[in-house]
Amino acid sequence: SDPCSFSSFSTCLTKHLNLQLHVDFDRHVIRGKVQLTVEALEDRFSTLDSRDLNVSSVSVNQQTAHFELGPKHSFKGTPLVITLPFDLSGQQVIVEVTYETSPSAFALQWLTPEQTAGKKQPYLFSQCQAHHCRSMVPCQDTPSIKHTYYAQVSVPKQLVAVMSAVRDGQEVDPQDCGRIVYRFRQPVAMPSYLIAIVVGALESREIGPRSRVWSEMEFVDKAASEFSETETMLKTAEDLAGPYVWGQYDVLVLPPSFPYGGMENPCLTFATPTLLAGDKSLSGVIAHEISHSWTGNLVTNRTWEHFRLNEGHTVYLERMIGRRMEGEQFRQFKAIGGWKDLQDSVNTFGANNPLTNLVPSLQEVNPDDAFSSVPYEKGFALLYHLEELMGGPVFMGFVKSYIQRFAYSSVTTDDWKNYLFTYFKDKVDILNKVDWNGWMFTPGMPPVKPYDTTLADACIALTQRWIKAKDLNVFSQSDVKTLSSHQLIEFLSLLLQEEPLPLSHVKRMQDVYDLNASTNSEIRFWLRLCVRCQWEEAVPLALKMATEQGRMKFTRPLFEVFNFEKYREEAVRVFLAHRAAMHPVTSGLVAKDLK
């Protein structure tokens, strides 16, 4: 069973969802009707996941069915227990639930016009991963179950709706001529966490034969030029992993409060606007989300305890795309940066914390609290280590075969490992020497660090010069002239791992490198370094960056202003002033950070 879900996949399986959604911006709710095509496997009970939903009626094969909402759990929500009107084991039935979401539904963020780029129309977006779909749709909210879906979404006529599916036309709402109904179909079976909806003043531009970019008018042309490499990346990924099965591959640039760098919703990748900085950090995020079309969306972790199967493989595939497009040194360089992100996560959680296991137990653990770079970077490090043991990048052959073998299904680490041993049956003696327990079930850093450091060496050398400097006049703009933006970001993150620099050093760094002038969010994030060194002038800049966008990678660490005694109250005041505009996942975690 899935420790994060009430629904049992041994009693029934959802095969298809038919959604009718009415988006109400005045009340911040979605009025919904969902028809679930369910295969009843045994007995007369069917349990769905729900969270803060107001359920008004349930029917089974058009007969009214008895339902009750069980006790509320802190993060799993409430089981919706439906009694089937007759014994249907072995049959497919249609369960229809009429309901309304809560204004504070975890999956949904409602933005006022002031929180958008255009300032004229409201905006709605969803973020269902890991276990929040249940606050938008009553369903079997577990990655172990995959289903197709069809949706009809009614929105005010001045707005546009898009979903994680193929667009299937639109018409004036027959119930209200001031509204439009947009239709969507998703013919490829997928887990509930990949259902996604966005409603806003959206425009789109074509960026390839199967791709458009969507955003508000203010961003759309800039986004179209920034995402121009999308088709090249898709073709590279297909070459590595097999055919792209989802038809359309669109990108949606969200408003700044979106809490992640990207989200791999099928047919419609979500991307943070912090990527629109005219540099290569964009290509890494898009390569990552494109890769999820195979690892994550096509082959899915059965529960969130096996999240490494989604993310470790996706980082591996993303860096193989980078290798094809930029060379092997680039891949090594990204791997070293990832190793440092992993070190940060291990330091934050604590080296003995079981949540730093590659395969953690999530019994009574909120998946949002377990989110870190561990499944990404420890997961990648294991695959890279296996690549070295198995004879180099030919290991990609295994990854492609694994994808084809388990396509359209959900898998566990044991499924993956058994297939690895089958695929490399002539190298089982080498595989048996791998410290599997050390990699999978032991907290802290991995047992092996496997990367080449050529491109990182220049960053390490510059870091050491700053740490040891007595005379600050030896530094000039030419120090960073030859560094790529990736290397400059790496240099700044290396400094974060050291003892805080003297304030004089940080001021000199700004004088010679002018880092505050950068439009690249990853470089502007050097403000974290300034705050650590207690540079007072940096505090308002740090709090501004923490609140003008909501990507957790930046927002949470920038609120470390809280650790600066003199500005502790200011940090709390700024957080409280901006809390309502933040995504609920972000505001919940920042509130914990600020105690």
Side-chain angles (χ1 to χ4, degrees):
S1 67
D2 181 341
C4 303
S5 170
F6 291 114
S7 54
S8 164
F9 34 95
S10 61
T11 57
C12 64
L13 293 174
T14 303
K15 297 297 185 184
H16 179 74
L17 294 184
N18 189 1
L19 293 162
Q20 292 169 40
L21 305 175
H22 180 102
V23 178
D24 183 340
F25 277 99
D26 294 331
R27 294 176 52 233
H28 284 189
V29 299
I30 293 178
R31 294 205 300 280
K33 183 179 282 185
V34 59
Q35 294 168 330
L36 304 98
T37 304
V38 173
E39 187 177 331
L41 300 178
E42 57 179 59
D43 68 35
R44 288 180 52 187
F45 290 97
S46 178
T47 302
L48 302 179
D49 290 297
S50 77
R51 185 170 188 181
D52 301 330
L53 297 178
N54 182 1
V55 177
S56 52
S57 68
V58 176
S59 69
V60 175
N61 287 355
Q62 300 181 323
Q63 288 191 33
T64 303
H66 176 74
F67 70 93
E68 56 187 63
L69 290 162
K72 186 171 179 177
H73 182 276
S74 62
F75 63 83
K76 284 200 274 191
T78 312
L80 171 59
V81 183
I82 298 164
T83 309
L84 303 182
F86 33 81
D87 184 9
L88 292 159
S89 50
Q91 297 179 46
Q92 282 201 354
V93 295
I94 293 180
V95 177
E96 182 175 283
V97 183
T98 306
Y99 68 96
E100 186 175 279
T101 63
S102 157
S104 57
F106 265 77
L108 303 174
Q109 187 166 18
W110 303 86
L111 303 182
T112 62
E114 301 76 60
Q115 290 170 283
T116 67
K119 311 292 181 199
K120 291 192 179 70
Q121 298 292 347
Y123 196 106
L124 165 69
F125 71 86
S126 66
Q127 170 60 31
C128 287
Q129 193 179 32
H131 61 297
H132 300 309
C133 187
R134 64 194 71 180
S135 68
M136 182 170 82
V137 181
C139 60
Q140 290 190 287
D141 196 8
T142 166
S144 57
I145 293 175
K146 294 187 165 185
H147 44 70
T148 52
Y149 81 85
Y150 194 86
Q152 299 175 75
V153 184
S154 170
V155 302
K157 68 178 179 187
Q158 63 274 26
L159 301 179
V160 174
V162 285
M163 289 190 78
S164 54
V166 179
R167 296 186 304 286
D168 196 37
Q170 63 193 70
E171 64 194 9
V172 175
D173 188 335
Q175 315 285 313
D176 180 348
C177 61
R179 299 175 71 88
I180 293 179
V181 174
Y182 288 89
R183 294 190 300 270
F184 305 92
R185 60 186 166 80
Q186 180 49 270
V188 181
M190 52 165 244
S192 57
Y193 75 84
L194 293 174
I195 296 175
I197 183 170
V198 173
V199 181
L202 299 174
E203 292 195 5
S204 71
R205 300 282 184 272
E206 191 171 286
I207 52 170
R210 47 187 159 174
S211 300
R212 303 188 74 82
V213 66
W214 297 81
S215 81
E216 292 181 78
M217 178 184 73
E218 290 72 13
F219 288 139
V220 75
D221 290 316
K222 183 168 174 47
S225 65
E226 298 257 355
F227 291 102
S228 58
E229 281 195 323
T230 300
E231 181 61 23
T232 309
M233 282 193 199
L234 270 171
K235 284 198 167 113
T236 307
E238 285 188 300
D239 202 29
L240 289 164
Y244 178 78
V245 303
W246 304 91
Q248 191 76 7
Y249 181 83
D250 288 359
V251 179
L252 175 99
V253 179
L254 282 124
S257 64
F258 181 58
Y260 301 101
M263 177 63 207
E264 65 273 14
N265 299 309
C267 309
L268 187 70
T269 279
F270 284 15
T272 168
T274 63
L275 293 176
L276 300 181
D279 81 288
K280 289 279 179 72
S281 62
L282 164 82
S283 59
V285 172
I286 293 304
H288 183 88
E289 304 310 336
I290 281 175
S291 299
H292 266 307
S293 306
W294 288 268
T295 49
N297 298 5
L298 193 57
V299 182
T300 308
N301 46 228
R302 191 171 297 169
T303 73
W304 298 112
E305 296 167 311
H306 302 280
F307 195 34
R308 62 160 285 263
L309 294 174
N310 279 20
E311 295 301 348
H313 286 87
T314 297
V315 174
Y316 185 81
L317 191 45
E318 163 207 337
R319 290 182 183 153
M320 283 306 246
I321 294 172
R323 180 176 184 268
R324 285 276 180 100
M325 295 174 78
E326 309 270 350
E328 175 60 22
Q329 273 200 338
F330 175 80
R331 181 171 79 127
Q332 294 290 334
F333 180 69
K334 296 304 281 183
I336 290 160
W339 186 267
K340 253 195 326 308
D341 291 341
L342 175 58
Q343 187 74 65
D344 280 349
S345 284
V346 169
N347 292 346
T348 302
F349 278 94
N352 295 318
N353 189 320
L355 290 180
T356 64
N357 288 11
L358 192 49
V359 185
S361 164
L362 293 184
Q363 291 294 334
E364 291 305 315
V365 175
N366 184 335
D368 287 341
D369 293 344
F371 184 80
S372 76
S373 65
V374 170
Y376 297 75
E377 296 299 345
K378 205 175 191 177
F380 170 80
L382 172 59
L383 295 173
Y384 185 83
H385 177 55
L386 291 170
E387 175 191 302
E388 290 203 309
L389 292 177
M390 296 295 110
V394 293
F395 185 72
M396 188 62 224
F398 160 72
V399 176
K400 183 174 186 175
S401 180
Y402 157 77
I403 291 165
Q404 301 310 316
R405 165 67 183 81
F406 292 107
Y408 308 104
S409 64
S410 300
V411 293
T412 64
T413 292
D414 279 348
D415 297 327
W416 169 85
K417 190 178 165 193
N418 291 338
Y419 191 67
L420 177 75
F421 274 72
T422 305
Y423 185 89
F424 289 112
K425 56 181 180 292
D426 52 343
K427 295 187 176 173
V428 166
D429 51 335
I430 303 174
L431 289 173
N432 279 330
K433 292 193 181 112
V434 172
D435 179 3
W436 292 106
N437 191 55
W439 277 101
M440 301 287 190
F441 305 109
T442 307
M445 294 301 285
V448 178
K449 179 180 181 178
Y451 315 125
D452 162 40
T453 63
T454 316
L455 282 180
D457 290 342
C459 313
I460 294 164
L462 186 57
T463 306
Q464 290 304 314
R465 280 181 61 202
W466 277 97
I467 291 167
K468 293 175 178 160
K470 298 282 186 280
D471 174 13
L472 297 181
N473 291 317
V474 300
F475 296 105
S476 70
Q477 175 63 32
S478 63
D479 303 337
V480 293
K481 264 275 184 287
T482 57
L483 298 186
S484 69
S485 59
H486 288 297
Q487 287 174 297
L488 184 54
I489 292 160
E490 173 70 5
F491 155 67
L492 294 169
S493 78
L494 283 169
L495 283 173
L496 273 171
Q497 300 212 308
E498 304 292 337
E499 289 298 310
L501 288 174
L503 185 52
S504 54
H505 287 49
V506 177
K507 288 183 173 178
R508 176 67 182 159
M509 200 178 289
Q510 169 57 21
D511 289 343
V512 289
Y513 303 158
D514 198 14
L515 298 165
N516 284 335
S518 176
T519 57
N520 180 329
S521 301
E522 300 274 1
I523 294 169
R524 281 179 66 207
F525 191 44
W526 96 290
L527 289 165
R528 185 182 183 190
L529 198 66
C530 303
V531 168
R532 280 210 178 157
C533 304
Q534 308 218 328
W535 187 7
E536 299 198 23
E537 285 167 41
V539 168
L541 295 174
L543 291 173
K544 179 173 184 280
M545 184 178 177
T547 52
E548 73 186 8
Q549 53 74 50
R551 190 174 172 189
M552 285 198 287
K553 175 179 184 174
F554 303 135
T555 294
R556 289 183 73 185
L558 286 167
F559 267 109
E560 285 173 10
V561 168
F562 179 76
N563 298 327
F564 192 163
E565 193 67 50
K566 184 173 176 182
Y567 290 96
R568 178 165 292 186
E569 286 182 11
E570 175 68 0
V572 173
R573 186 193 68 73
V574 169
F575 169 66
L576 292 173
H578 288 85
R579 182 180 204 162
M582 289 181 171
H583 190 275
V585 173
T586 313
S587 62
L589 291 168
V590 174
K592 269 188 187 166
D593 297 340
L594 300 184
K595 303 182 171 54

